[in-house]
Amino acid sequence: MVYQKSRILLKKQGLAASKKLGQNFLVHQHTAERIVDFSELSKEDTVLEVGVGLGALTGPLADAAGQVLGLEADSGIIRLHEEQGNLPDNVRLIHQDVLKTDFNELVRLSGGKRLKIV
């Protein structure tokens, strides 16, 4: 059911998973919660999420951490989140490919907090 809703949302936005970008969208909430549990996050942490996708992991990460820096290379996904305004306030969406990212800049954006990559 969740998978079907995700497919409908992507289709409605004119989007599809890109093989070029290696996209696979997480859709199961239980899986997202398990990832967050294993990450041992605290409000003192800034999390780098590589590939925000539809945000299934982003919300639970934002609940557990002080800040989430969400890197997303897909301009369509960026547009979707900007239009829907559906990301928590402590998420900073960054339109950038992780392979072209200046990690020193991400450390600066973390404001001195621990930076964890999830």
Side-chain angles (χ1 to χ4, degrees):
M1 184 70 166
V2 174
Y3 173 74
Q4 188 65 20
K5 287 180 183 179
S6 298
R7 285 187 53 172
I8 291 168
L9 176 61
L10 288 170
K11 187 174 182 176
K12 182 178 176 183
Q13 295 290 326
L15 300 172
S18 166
K19 287 183 182 181
K20 178 183 170 190
L21 295 175
Q23 289 176 321
N24 291 281
F25 296 113
L26 176 64
V27 295
H28 294 102
Q29 199 61 39
H30 177 72
T31 302
E33 291 166 0
R34 295 279 294 164
I35 291 169
V36 171
D37 288 344
F38 283 119
S39 300
E40 298 181 356
L41 299 173
S42 77
K43 293 295 182 183
E44 298 303 312
D45 295 321
T46 294
V47 174
L48 173 62
E49 181 184 13
V50 179
V52 172
L54 299 178
L57 180 59
T58 311
L61 287 172
D63 290 342
Q67 176 180 221
V68 176
L69 302 175
L71 291 182
E72 181 55 62
D74 188 332
S75 59
I77 297 294
I78 296 288
R79 185 186 69 241
L80 179 142
H81 289 298
E82 288 174 346
E83 287 175 3
Q84 292 191 345
N86 61 350
L87 296 177
D89 290 339
N90 64 335
V91 174
R92 181 171 181 165
L93 191 57
I94 302 168
H95 185 195
Q96 194 167 59
D97 184 331
V98 69
L99 298 176
K100 298 175 183 174
T101 297
D102 178 356
F103 281 84
N104 290 320
E105 176 65 11
L106 295 178
V107 169
R108 187 188 68 73
L109 290 174
S110 76
K113 294 188 176 190
R114 284 186 303 231
L115 183 62
K116 291 186 174 182
I117 300 173
V118 176

